Amino acid sequence: MDIFRIESEHTSGLYTKQPIVFVRGQGALLWDADGNEYLDCNSGHGVANLGHAHPKVAEAISEQSKKLVTLFETFPNDQRAALMKKITSLVPELNRVFFCNSGTEAVEAAIKFARLSTGRPGIVASMRGFHGRTMGALSATWNKHYRSAFEPLVPEYSHVPFNNTERLKESVNDQTAAVILEAIQGEGGIYIADTAYLQAARRICSEKGTLLIIDEIQSGFCRTGKMFAFQHMEIVPDMITIAKSLAGGVPMGAVLIGPRVQGFSPGLHGSTFGGNPLSCAAANAALQVMEDENLASQAQEKGEYLKEKLEELNSPLIREVRGLGLMIGIELKQKVAPFLKALQDRHILALNAGLTTIRLLPPLVISKEQIDTLVEQLSEVLSSEV
Ligand SMILES: *Cc1c(COP(=O)(O)O)cnc(C)c1O
């Protein structure tokens, strides 16, 4: 069976198919159909924080699949209740949760909840921000490449420069339902929010009766050395959107909801698959692993180690190394595409973030030896122009 040819023939055309067929993963490694080994610094765009094929998650999925896979949220369930209890304990001020199936759905829900709660239409998002691809979330996303073909988008959205308190202050008024921000912009280039900026955003929102939504879909679940990235900046948002690594690789999204968000009544919003027992069981296992294996401190330590080594690379091509924990960007003075290709030829998978930044999102269980391999290969690839 020529897998690459079949996928290329039948794809929607929305994805550039790479000529490698992956069939298996373990920890930070992936293997292709011929048994060749690759080091995965993509983690499926930050999904596989626990590494691939984690035995605890695999067991939870297997066990739950034999008991109960689907159950609408009107009927309580043991796995869902356990997850509700656990997930709302992560940020004690936000003690309600809405479950869905992806990141964009979580953002979509948070925006609906903001309009519902405030009775206002306005959404202020940030330049370079990424929040997903369904219409409401896309309207908050900045990149024209994702937006232009689908206009007109949802009205009453505006975008302000990231880390600019003055401009944020000017943009939030008595018609603003919510401000939505990433604590670290992922897709946009690995830009970290200044602590003073997020704290000012919190103050401005509170003063104006506006809700503050923090999108932790990529930066959450120990990736940056804390459970959520905004916890570095010591603020309490009104809503947090989460997805990606929440359920150890099984599709799941959620919104954590604080006390200022009100107006809910049965049927106003919902999701058929949301909070299904299978995803909940996977998430319960994943959260337990994060705790048992101290994944946050692992990300913290390994991130520091990796960043130090990257800063020692004195390649003339590197403009800057940025990041927190194992969410790291290497900004180059030129486009990164050929370097990513060169890395892939050397069996290292990495992502771009914008045109000129290499984005590293390895599984948090990556070993020091694997980090050394990554740095070695990066050093060779970045030693000359491609
Ligand atoms: C990936 C991502 C999304 C969208 O998540 P999907 O599951 O792909 O819909 C939204 N916000 C951020 C910050 C992301 O990284």
Side-chain angles (χ1 to χ4, degrees):
M1 187 170 61
D2 188 346
I3 295 167
F4 174 72
R5 189 187 55 74
I6 294 170
E7 288 216 17
S8 299
E9 185 178 333
H10 297 290
T11 178
S12 57
L14 294 169
Y15 303 94
T16 310
K17 295 285 174 179
Q18 300 293 326
I20 312 168
V21 176
F22 287 115
V23 292
R24 194 163 65 83
Q26 180 79 64
L29 298 175
L30 289 171
W31 286 272
D32 73 8
D34 299 323
N36 298 305
E37 186 177 291
Y38 286 72
L39 179 59
D40 180 13
C41 297
N42 292 4
S43 306
H45 287 75
V47 171
N49 284 12
L50 277 57
H52 298 284
H54 196 291
K56 291 276 170 55
V57 177
E59 189 192 323
I61 294 170
S62 165
E63 288 308 307
Q64 189 60 36
S65 73
K66 294 176 219 159
K67 286 186 197 152
L68 188 63
V69 168
T70 192
L71 185 72
F72 196 64
E73 251 214 64
T74 44
F75 296 102
N77 168 263
D78 55 341
Q79 290 293 343
R80 193 189 306 114
L83 180 58
M84 282 179 153
K85 198 159 175 232
K86 182 88 193 163
I87 201 106
T88 57
S89 73
L90 299 178
V91 184
E93 293 88 348
L94 280 59
N95 79 345
R96 291 172 292 162
V97 57
F98 169 74
F99 291 120
C100 51
N101 316 287
S102 66
T104 200
E105 274 179 79
V107 171
E108 205 72 29
I111 284 167
K112 286 179 75 177
F113 299 163
R115 285 186 167 178
L116 172 70
S117 181
T118 61
R120 305 171 178 185
I123 305 293
V124 174
S126 108
M127 291 174 183
R128 285 196 308 244
F130 182 85
H131 300 291
R133 298 169 182 274
T134 54
M135 287 306 223
L138 181 62
S139 304
T141 290
W142 167 251
N143 192 334
K144 281 206 161 37
H145 178 64
Y146 303 140
R147 297 166 56 95
S148 301
F150 306 105
E151 288 171 352
L153 299 178
V154 180
E156 306 292 339
Y157 280 64
S158 59
H159 290 84
V160 293
F162 193 60
N163 272 340
N164 184 327
T165 302
E166 270 317 297
R167 295 289 298 279
L168 183 66
K169 205 169 176 179
E170 286 163 19
S171 303
V172 176
N173 57 42
D174 64 3
Q175 287 305 303
T176 311
V179 170
I180 180 165
L181 296 169
E182 294 156 272
I184 302 186
Q185 293 186 319
E187 181 86 18
I190 313 292
Y191 292 98
I192 305 169
D194 298 333
T195 296
Y197 179 66
L198 276 200
Q199 293 186 349
R202 174 66 280 177
R203 240 184 351 263
I204 293 164
C205 285
S206 299
E207 281 165 19
K208 295 281 167 69
T210 296
L211 299 169
L212 179 60
I213 304 168
I214 298 292
D215 184 343
E216 288 279 350
I217 291 167
Q218 189 165 142
S219 53
F221 298 106
C222 309
R223 167 67 50 197
T224 68
K226 289 193 185 283
M227 182 54 77
F228 298 116
F230 74 83
Q231 291 170 327
H232 291 280
M233 294 87 179
E234 295 181 357
I235 57 156
V236 181
D238 295 302
M239 285 185 270
I240 304 168
T241 55
I242 51 181
K244 291 207 162 99
S245 71
L246 161 60
V250 174
M252 185 177 219
V255 186
L256 298 177
I257 304 164
R260 296 175 75 226
V261 190
Q262 293 297 333
F264 295 89
S265 61
L268 265 185
H269 188 65
S271 167
T272 299
F273 288 127
N276 70 80
L278 185 72
S279 300
C280 290
N284 281 325
L287 289 168
Q288 193 60 49
V289 170
M290 290 177 208
E291 202 174 299
D292 294 346
E293 299 185 12
N294 277 320
L295 275 195
S297 49
Q298 285 202 48
Q300 168 79 29
E301 283 164 30
K302 292 170 188 172
E304 269 169 31
Y305 179 73
L306 172 55
K307 230 171 104 182
E308 251 168 51
K309 293 212 140 197
L310 291 175
E311 275 155 3
E312 283 166 16
L313 293 180
N314 51 8
S315 162
L317 299 175
I318 297 178
R319 189 185 300 280
E320 190 183 29
V321 176
R322 305 184 277 272
L324 271 181
L326 283 171
M327 184 167 184
I328 293 183
I330 308 166
E331 187 176 344
L332 302 186
K333 293 172 185 162
Q334 57 192 90
K335 291 188 179 170
V336 296
F339 299 99
L340 294 178
K341 168 77 173 62
L343 280 172
Q344 187 167 300
D345 291 343
R346 292 158 176 265
H347 290 202
I348 307 266
L349 304 184
L351 289 165
N352 70 302
L355 288 177
T356 56
T357 301
I358 295 174
R359 178 172 32 156
L360 301 173
L361 299 173
L364 310 182
V365 296
I366 189 173
S367 68
K368 285 253 166 82
E369 293 71 33
Q370 289 167 333
I371 291 177
D372 291 342
T373 304
L374 165 65
V375 175
E376 224 168 86
Q377 296 297 333
L378 269 167
S379 159
E380 286 182 25
V381 164
L382 293 174
S383 64
S384 60
E385 299 196 14
V386 179

